[in-house]
């Protein structure tokens, strides 16, 4: 308006607004903003350096924008801004000498570009140990070491044990020497979250005098315990480990082989985990509907439930129902043959906070007749459709042309109604209607242009779509539409029309 | 139930409580004040801006409350502004700035997001000088400082 009034506050004067604007900018724009003025320089620089990924310099040309190999002196200069450090390179010994005053998360995943990755050598572990010792602020440590024959050296576990602020340890593919186990337990006893996959063929045992551990895990809230078959850790030991975590809120248990549900059920009935809200179990073939019902009844609150390939059925469903509104967020009922179409429909219409839902076959008739879906926050959905239910039985000798036309029109309507419902899931990132069970596909959802695909332009967050095992064949124009409307589409699985080989390659 | 909001230039605005409570600041004030009918003064917001803010809150009165994202990658998108919001934001730059400041002060996160995304979209693809020109920002670097920063960030640029 006037140019003579003294400059009033602009939004750019407030650091929180600069940060907010910066959060919507990509890397290059942030670099440009650094040069605007001093205030912008300070804000953008701290945004730029919050998360640093270190890769081998050779990889630069192949990797996307985020992964930048950083010169040592520049990293040292900005070390005070780094909160997350992702290490994917093995060639950076000097980098482990840097101190990062506000470092919180370290992800150590040394990759090698060779076809047969060797295990990290001793130097890499030395470097990591050094990094942990130098940076007491680390609260999350994620070790993604590739499969190797050599376990991590003891001094790594000593460093982990003495890390004063460590709360989360993610250590898949753990090979731990028998003699090192006490150190490992010492290193993990004060954690809040432990994600571990035992591959070692050695046992761990609980001695009476408690010297070899593990002891109680007084603070552990989240445990993900995966045991490979080769590890030969007895069921008793696994159960005992889990039952030493009384504060557990989330438990994932992937035992190496099937056990009978009895011992686990005993723990549930004994209220071993009074705060348990999230439970994911694998190898559930022997768990009956009643077993799962018993488990659910022992949980005060259910936010995550993963019981794939189990006997989950009507009794379990009844036990689960009270938790629908209260806040179930993830539900995996895939490959559970006793899950019915009405159950699936009820979940979609009742679970407001659901983010991930996998189940089985749902009939079109049930879908169309159900109350509106309220699961608007859904991010991942895997169900498959049986469209054939809508048909009234017709005597082929008696059908007239108009009757057939009516039938076709009704089918189209049903199609569109279902697509409209799916279109309401605006936050959907992953959608699969693959049918894993049938060799001869049943009539499934026809998701092509003209049949309902065009209604799905609202799914702007969609990253992946799968339709294996259905009768669905995508044509070029369908795929093209998908690419035009779904900016984030990364993967697609299913059958495409035969004539499209060239287009397939292009896509 | 309605509430009365008073702008800095003393204009009264009668608004449904549900609409006013899209502003967390106002929501908290109302909770503190209880059943009282007294008007709520907003000394930092002029009538012109408050009109716009109320318009936004009215249109979005039924939106679900946003849940904070828990993804690992905090990078957000700015290309998903819905059509009504885009038209709403087609104002002169001064008003744009005022709306952002008001949304910040009144704690209306969705409106703040839209405002910041709009600014981010203006910034995208521009050089530093172009950004300064677009927003009338003064460059307070010396030429030496500028050269130094450019040099330091050379490695970071995408080739």
């Amino acid at each position: 308006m006037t140019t003579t009034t003294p400059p009033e506050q602009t939004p750019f004067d407030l650091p929180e607004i600069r940060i907010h604007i910066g959060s919507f900018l990509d890397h290059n724009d942030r670099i440009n903003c650094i040069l605007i003025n001093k205030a912008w320089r300070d804000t953008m620089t701290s945004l730029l350096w919050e998360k640093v990924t270190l890769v081998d310099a050779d990889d630069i040309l192949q990797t996307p924008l985020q992964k930048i190999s950083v010169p040592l002196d520049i990293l040292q200069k900005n070390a005070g801004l780094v909160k997350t450090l992702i290490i994917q390179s093995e060639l950076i010994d000097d980098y482990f000498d840097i101190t990062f005053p506000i470092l919180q998360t370290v992800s150590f995943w040394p990759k090698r570009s060779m076809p047969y990755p060797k295990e990290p050598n001793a130097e890499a572990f030395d470097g990591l140990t050094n990094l942990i010792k130098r940076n007491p602020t680390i609260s999350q440590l994620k070790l993604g070491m590739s499969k190797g024959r050599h376990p991590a050296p003891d001094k790594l576990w000593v460093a982990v044990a003495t890390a004063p602020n460590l709360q989360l340890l993610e250590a898949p593919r753990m090979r731990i020497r028998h003699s090192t186990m006490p150190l490992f337990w010492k290193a993990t006893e004060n954690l809040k979250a432990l994600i571990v996959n035992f591959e070692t063929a050695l046992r761990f045992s609980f001695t009476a005098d408690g010297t070899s551990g593990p002891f109680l895990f007084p603070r552990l809230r989240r445990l993900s315990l995966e045991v490979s078959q080769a590890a030969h850790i007895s069921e008793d030991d696994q159960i005992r480990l889990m039952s030493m975590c009384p504060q557990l809120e989330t438990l994932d248990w992937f035992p190496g082989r099937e056990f009978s549900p009895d011992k686990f059920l005993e723990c549930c009935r004994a209220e071993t985990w009074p705060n348990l809200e999230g439970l994911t179990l694998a190898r559930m073939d022997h768990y009956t509907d009643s077993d799962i019902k018993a488990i659910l009844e022992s949980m005060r609150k259910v936010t995550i439930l993963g019981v794939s390939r189990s006997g989950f059925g009507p009794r379990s469903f009844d036990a689960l129902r009270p938790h629908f509104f209260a806040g179930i967020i993830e539900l995996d009922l895939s490959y559970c043959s006793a899950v019915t179409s009405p159950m699936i429909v009820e979940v979609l219409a009742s679970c407001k906070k659901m983010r991930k839902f996998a189940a089985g076959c749902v009939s079109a008739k049930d879908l169309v007749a159900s109350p509106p879906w309220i699961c608007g926050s859904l991010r991942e959905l895997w169900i498959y459709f049986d469209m054939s239910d809508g048909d009234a039985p017709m005597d082929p000798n008696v059908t007239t042309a108009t009757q057939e036309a009516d039938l076709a029109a009704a089918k189209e309507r049903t199609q569109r109604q279902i697509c409209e419902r799916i279109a309401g899931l605006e936050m959907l990132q992953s959608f699969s209607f693959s049918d894993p069970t049938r060799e001869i596909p049943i009539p499934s959802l026809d998701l092509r242009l003209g049949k309902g695909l065009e209604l799905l332009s609202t799914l702007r967050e969609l990253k992946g779509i799968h339709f294996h095992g259905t009768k669905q064949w995508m044509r070029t124009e369908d795929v093209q539409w998908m690419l035009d409307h779904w900016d984030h589409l990364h993967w697609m699985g299913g059958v495409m029309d035969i004539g499209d080989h060239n287009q397939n390659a292009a896509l | 139930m309605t509430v009365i909001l008073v702008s800095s230039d003393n204009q009264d605005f009668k608004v449904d409580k549900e609409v006013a409570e899209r502003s967390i600041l106002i929501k908290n004030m109302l909770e503190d004040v209880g059943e009282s009918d007294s008007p709520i003064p907003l000394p930092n917001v002029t009538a012109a801006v408050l009109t716009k803010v109320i318009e936004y809150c009215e249109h979005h009165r039924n939106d679900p409350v946003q849940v904070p994202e828990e993804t690992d990658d905090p990078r957000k998108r700015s290309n998903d502004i819905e059509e009504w919001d885009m038209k709403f934001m087609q104002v002169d730059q001064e008003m744009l700035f005022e709306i952002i400041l008001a949304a910040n002060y009144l704690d209306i996160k969705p409106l703040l997001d839209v405002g910041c995304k709009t600014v981010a979209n203006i910034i995208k693809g521009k050089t530093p000088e172009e950004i300064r020109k677009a927003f009338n920002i003064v460059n307070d670097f010396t030429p030496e400082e500028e050269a130094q920063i450019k040099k330091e960030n050379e490695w970071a640029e995408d080739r």
Side-chain angles (χ1 to χ4, degrees):
Chain A
M1 300 293 192
T2 68
T3 51
T4 52
T5 49
E8 292 170 339
Q9 193 178 48
T10 72
F12 300 144
D13 294 329
L14 299 172
E16 64 265 27
I17 294 192
R18 290 197 299 272
I19 291 176
H20 205 72
I21 296 173
S23 71
F24 295 115
L25 295 174
D26 70 19
H27 187 80
N28 277 340
D29 289 321
R30 288 179 186 175
I31 294 179
N32 281 329
C33 285
I34 286 182
L35 281 165
I36 294 176
N37 63 13
K38 288 181 182 169
W40 278 96
R41 177 199 56 194
D42 294 339
T43 311
M44 286 300 125
T45 308
S46 47
L47 268 180
L48 223 56
W49 285 99
E50 261 183 10
K51 182 170 163 185
V52 175
T53 305
L54 300 175
V55 294
D56 292 350
D58 290 342
D59 284 349
I60 282 186
L61 296 173
Q62 289 135 12
T63 54
L65 188 58
Q66 278 173 288
K67 298 185 184 178
I68 301 166
S69 193
V70 182
L72 182 61
D73 56 336
I74 294 184
L75 183 58
Q76 266 166 335
K77 184 168 175 220
N78 293 289
L81 298 169
V82 178
K83 285 188 187 165
T84 300
L85 192 61
I86 300 175
I87 303 171
Q88 290 179 347
S89 162
E90 278 196 20
L91 310 175
I92 49 166
D93 292 346
D94 289 343
Y95 286 75
F96 290 120
D97 280 339
I98 303 176
T99 305
F100 301 92
I102 59 170
L103 187 61
Q104 290 172 2
T105 303
V106 174
S107 183
F108 182 71
W109 212 292
K111 278 184 190 167
R112 285 185 152 241
S113 47
M114 307 182 324
Y116 298 101
K118 290 193 274 188
E119 62 268 23
N121 52 26
E123 281 85 54
F125 281 120
D126 281 352
L128 178 61
T129 308
N130 197 8
L131 185 76
I132 296 171
K133 282 204 254 182
R134 278 180 173 275
N135 294 287
T137 51
I138 295 175
S139 63
Q140 298 193 1
L141 186 59
K142 303 180 185 180
L143 307 177
M145 296 175 279
S146 54
K147 280 195 187 198
R149 271 171 241 111
H150 303 294
D154 286 5
K155 60 182 168 184
L156 175 69
W157 296 117
V158 173
V160 173
T162 48
N165 287 303
L166 193 65
Q167 293 189 354
L168 180 145
L169 174 67
E170 190 173 324
R173 304 190 175 97
M174 272 290 96
R175 291 184 171 268
I176 306 177
R177 266 179 237 116
H178 193 57
S179 53
T180 312
M181 289 306 295
L183 266 178
F184 177 78
W185 297 126
K186 196 88 188 69
T188 54
E189 69 179 347
N190 280 318
L191 292 179
K192 279 194 181 161
L194 177 61
I195 299 154
V196 72
N197 174 348
F198 287 113
E199 266 188 7
T200 187
L202 303 170
R203 299 170 197 284
F204 60 88
S205 55
F206 302 70
T207 55
D209 63 356
T211 48
S212 83
F215 316 106
L216 206 59
F217 289 89
R219 300 208 186 117
L220 202 63
R221 304 257 173 86
R222 180 183 167 202
L223 173 64
S224 174
L225 175 62
E226 186 173 348
V227 177
S228 325
Q229 244 178 330
H232 296 303
I233 299 178
S234 73
E235 185 192 359
D236 277 343
D237 280 349
Q238 293 184 43
I239 298 258
R240 193 161 159 189
L241 176 62
M242 293 188 296
S243 57
M244 287 181 154
C245 314
Q247 298 295 328
L248 222 47
E249 291 168 11
T250 311
L251 173 62
D252 305 332
W253 185 30
F254 310 113
R257 37 184 210 285
E258 274 165 26
F259 298 127
S260 107
D262 296 339
K263 292 191 180 147
F264 187 77
L265 278 177
E266 218 178 282
C267 284
C268 292
R269 288 196 190 100
E271 300 209 352
T272 314
W273 308 290
N275 297 328
L276 195 64
E277 288 180 15
L279 180 62
T280 304
L281 299 172
R283 308 271 184 189
M284 293 199 76
D285 292 45
H286 294 310
Y287 283 70
T288 65
D289 192 14
S290 305
D291 290 336
I292 299 174
K293 170 172 176 262
I295 294 175
L296 288 170
E297 282 170 348
S298 73
M299 291 167 74
R300 242 181 310 175
K301 190 175 171 192
V302 179
T303 51
I304 298 175
L305 185 67
V307 289
S308 179
R309 298 184 196 271
S310 70
F312 185 100
R315 290 200 194 97
S316 313
F317 193 73
D318 283 341
L320 186 59
R321 197 182 270 116
H323 301 281
F324 282 170
F325 281 109
I328 185 155
I329 297 177
E330 292 183 23
L331 182 59
D332 184 356
L333 303 175
S334 54
Y335 301 100
C336 295
S337 47
V339 168
T340 64
S341 173
M343 284 184 198
I344 296 177
V345 158
E346 190 179 334
V347 168
L348 291 168
S350 319
C351 300
K352 200 167 174 197
K353 293 192 181 175
M354 189 73 84
R355 288 199 173 198
K356 292 186 189 175
F357 181 45
C361 189
V362 65
S363 91
K365 200 163 68 154
D366 289 340
L367 260 184
V368 163
S370 90
W373 291 357
I374 63 171
C375 49
S377 300
L378 210 54
R379 305 293 201 271
E380 291 180 25
L381 178 64
W382 179 24
I383 52 177
Y384 52 100
F385 303 91
D386 182 353
M387 307 295 286
S388 58
D389 260 359
D391 299 343
M394 297 199 97
D395 183 348
N397 294 328
V398 182
T399 49
T400 62
T402 39
Q403 276 176 325
E404 279 190 17
D406 282 345
L407 193 60
K411 271 191 184 168
E412 293 257 339
R413 263 199 310 278
T414 309
Q415 266 277 140
R416 296 194 91 80
Q417 279 170 333
I418 295 180
C419 286
E420 272 163 18
R421 299 238 187 180
I422 298 172
L425 305 173
E426 289 181 11
M427 311 203 76
L428 203 59
Q429 292 179 9
S430 163
F431 178 43
S432 169
F433 54 104
S434 298
D435 183 347
T437 58
R438 302 179 202 260
E439 286 147 12
I440 303 168
I442 48 167
S444 161
L445 194 67
D446 185 355
L447 208 64
R448 291 178 293 179
L449 287 171
K451 301 281 188 179
L453 182 59
E454 61 277 10
L455 293 168
L456 300 183
S457 55
T458 49
L459 302 180
R460 275 176 289 190
E461 305 282 327
L462 200 66
K463 289 183 188 162
I465 182 161
H466 273 194
F467 44 94
H468 294 287
T470 65
K471 270 183 177 170
Q472 173 85 65
W473 280 26
M474 293 295 183
R475 304 158 303 188
T476 323
E477 56 263 37
D478 301 316
V479 181
Q480 190 60 52
W481 183 98
M482 287 187 199
L483 291 171
D484 288 339
H485 285 81
W486 297 335
D487 284 338
H488 305 106
L489 195 64
H490 269 168
W491 36 269
M492 185 189 309
V495 180
M496 278 192 70
D497 211 341
I498 297 177
D500 288 344
H501 286 302
N502 290 337
Q503 277 286 9
N504 290 359
L507 295 168
Chain B
M1 204 202 139
T2 58
V3 299
I4 300 178
L5 308 175
V6 187
S7 68
S8 60
D9 39 1
N10 277 317
Q11 204 173 321
D12 283 3
F13 290 81
K14 206 165 166 194
V15 179
D16 279 351
K17 184 165 179 243
E18 186 186 51
V19 170
E21 284 185 342
R22 301 298 297 185
S23 153
I24 306 296
L25 180 81
I26 294 178
K27 184 165 189 263
N28 291 343
M29 275 185 188
L30 287 173
E31 274 169 17
D32 290 341
V33 151
E35 282 300 316
S36 160
D37 270 342
S38 44
I40 298 183
L42 301 173
N44 289 11
V45 190
T46 64
V49 182
L50 191 51
T51 308
K52 282 294 269 183
V53 170
I54 292 174
E55 186 190 337
Y56 182 88
C57 295
E58 274 280 359
H59 180 88
H60 288 275
R61 66 190 294 166
N62 290 321
D63 285 1
V65 176
Q66 286 182 330
V67 175
E69 275 300 321
E70 287 169 5
T71 51
D72 275 344
D73 183 2
R75 187 161 303 163
K76 298 177 273 189
R77 276 177 282 284
S78 66
N79 60 356
D80 57 353
I81 305 178
E82 43 175 278
E83 212 177 315
W84 187 93
D85 287 355
M86 252 200 219
K87 294 211 176 90
F88 174 82
M89 283 311 214
Q90 277 166 2
V91 293
D92 64 33
Q93 201 179 89
E94 192 178 325
M95 178 57 83
L96 172 60
F97 282 4
E98 298 280 352
I99 291 175
I100 293 176
L101 286 169
N104 189 42
Y105 166 66
L106 293 169
D107 197 353
I108 308 172
K109 189 170 184 303
L111 181 55
L112 183 61
D113 279 350
V114 172
C116 289
K117 284 183 192 180
T118 306
V119 172
N121 285 336
I122 299 173
I123 290 178
K124 275 185 202 267
K126 290 193 165 72
T127 66
E129 180 54 37
E130 284 167 355
I131 300 172
R132 283 188 219 118
K133 258 209 177 87
F135 296 117
N136 262 326
I137 303 177
V138 174
N139 180 2
D140 56 1
F141 289 127
T142 66
E144 294 81 37
E145 282 170 337
E146 235 183 287
Q148 171 78 0
I149 297 174
K150 273 194 188 147
K151 186 158 160 267
E152 276 177 5
N153 288 316
E154 249 171 9
W155 62 270
E157 281 170 32
D158 188 29
R159 267 150 250 151

Coordinates of all heavy atoms in Angstrom, one line a residue, chain A residues 27-28 31 48 65 68, chain B residues 152-159:
Chain A
H27 N 15.8 -29.8 -1.9 CA 17.2 -29.6 -1.6 C 17.7 -28.3 -2.3 O 18.3 -27.5 -1.7 CB 18.0 -30.8 -1.9 CG 19.4 -30.8 -1.5 ND1 19.8 -31.0 -0.2 CD2 20.5 -30.5 -2.2 CE1 21.1 -30.9 -0.1 NE2 21.6 -30.5 -1.3
N28 N 17.5 -28.3 -3.6 CA 18.1 -27.2 -4.4 C 17.5 -25.9 -4.1 O 18.2 -24.9 -4.0 CB 17.8 -27.5 -5.9 CG 18.9 -28.4 -6.5 OD1 20.0 -28.5 -5.9 ND2 18.6 -29.0 -7.6
I31 N 19.1 -24.6 -1.0 CA 20.4 -24.1 -1.2 C 20.3 -22.6 -1.7 O 21.0 -21.7 -1.3 CB 21.2 -24.9 -2.2 CG1 21.5 -26.3 -1.5 CG2 22.5 -24.3 -2.5 CD1 22.2 -27.2 -2.4
L48 N 19.2 -28.1 6.2 CA 19.9 -28.9 5.2 C 20.8 -29.9 5.9 O 21.0 -31.0 5.4 CB 20.9 -27.9 4.5 CG 21.1 -28.1 3.0 CD1 19.8 -28.0 2.3 CD2 22.0 -27.0 2.5
L65 N 18.7 -37.4 -5.3 CA 19.1 -36.1 -4.8 C 19.6 -36.2 -3.3 O 20.6 -35.6 -2.9 CB 18.0 -35.1 -4.9 CG 18.4 -33.7 -4.6 CD1 19.5 -33.2 -5.4 CD2 17.1 -32.8 -4.8
I68 N 24.1 -37.6 -0.7 CA 25.2 -36.7 -1.2 C 26.4 -37.1 -0.4 O 26.4 -37.1 0.9 CB 24.9 -35.2 -1.0 CG1 23.6 -34.9 -1.8 CG2 26.1 -34.4 -1.4 CD1 23.0 -33.6 -1.4
Chain B
E152 N 31.2 -22.7 -0.5 CA 31.0 -23.8 0.5 C 30.0 -24.8 0.1 O 30.0 -25.9 0.5 CB 30.7 -23.2 1.9 CG 31.9 -22.8 2.7 CD 31.4 -22.1 4.0 OE1 30.2 -22.2 4.3 OE2 32.3 -21.6 4.7
N153 N 29.0 -24.3 -0.6 CA 27.8 -25.1 -0.9 C 27.9 -25.7 -2.3 O 27.0 -26.3 -2.8 CB 26.5 -24.4 -0.8 CG 26.2 -24.1 0.7 OD1 26.4 -25.0 1.5 ND2 25.8 -22.9 1.1
E154 N 29.0 -25.5 -3.0 CA 29.2 -26.0 -4.4 C 29.0 -27.5 -4.4 O 28.3 -28.1 -5.3 CB 30.6 -25.7 -4.9 CG 30.6 -24.7 -6.0 CD 32.1 -24.3 -6.2 OE1 33.0 -24.9 -5.7 OE2 32.3 -23.4 -7.0
W155 N 29.5 -28.2 -3.4 CA 29.5 -29.7 -3.4 C 28.0 -30.2 -3.3 O 27.7 -31.3 -3.7 CB 30.2 -30.2 -2.2 CG 29.6 -29.8 -0.9 CD1 29.9 -28.7 -0.2 CD2 28.6 -30.4 -0.2 NE1 29.2 -28.6 0.9 CE2 28.3 -29.6 0.9 CE3 27.8 -31.6 -0.4 CZ2 27.3 -30.0 1.8 CZ3 26.8 -31.9 0.5 CH2 26.6 -31.1 1.6
A156 N 27.1 -29.4 -2.7 CA 25.8 -29.8 -2.4 C 24.9 -29.7 -3.6 O 23.8 -30.3 -3.6 CB 25.2 -29.0 -1.3
E157 N 25.3 -29.0 -4.6 CA 24.3 -28.8 -5.7 C 24.2 -30.0 -6.6 O 25.1 -30.7 -6.8 CB 24.7 -27.5 -6.5 CG 24.3 -26.3 -5.8 CD 24.9 -25.0 -6.4 OE1 25.1 -25.1 -7.6 OE2 25.3 -24.1 -5.7
D158 N 23.0 -30.1 -7.1 CA 22.7 -31.3 -7.9 C 23.2 -30.9 -9.3 O 22.8 -29.9 -9.9 CB 21.2 -31.5 -7.9 CG 20.8 -32.7 -8.7 OD1 21.7 -33.7 -8.7 OD2 19.7 -32.8 -9.2
R159 N 24.0 -31.8 -9.9 CA 24.5 -31.4 -11.2 C 23.5 -31.8 -12.3 O 22.9 -32.8 -12.3 CB 25.9 -32.1 -11.4 CG 27.0 -31.3 -11.1 CD 28.2 -32.0 -10.6 NE 28.4 -31.8 -9.1 CZ 29.0 -32.8 -8.4 NH1 29.3 -33.9 -8.9 NH2 29.1 -32.5 -7.1

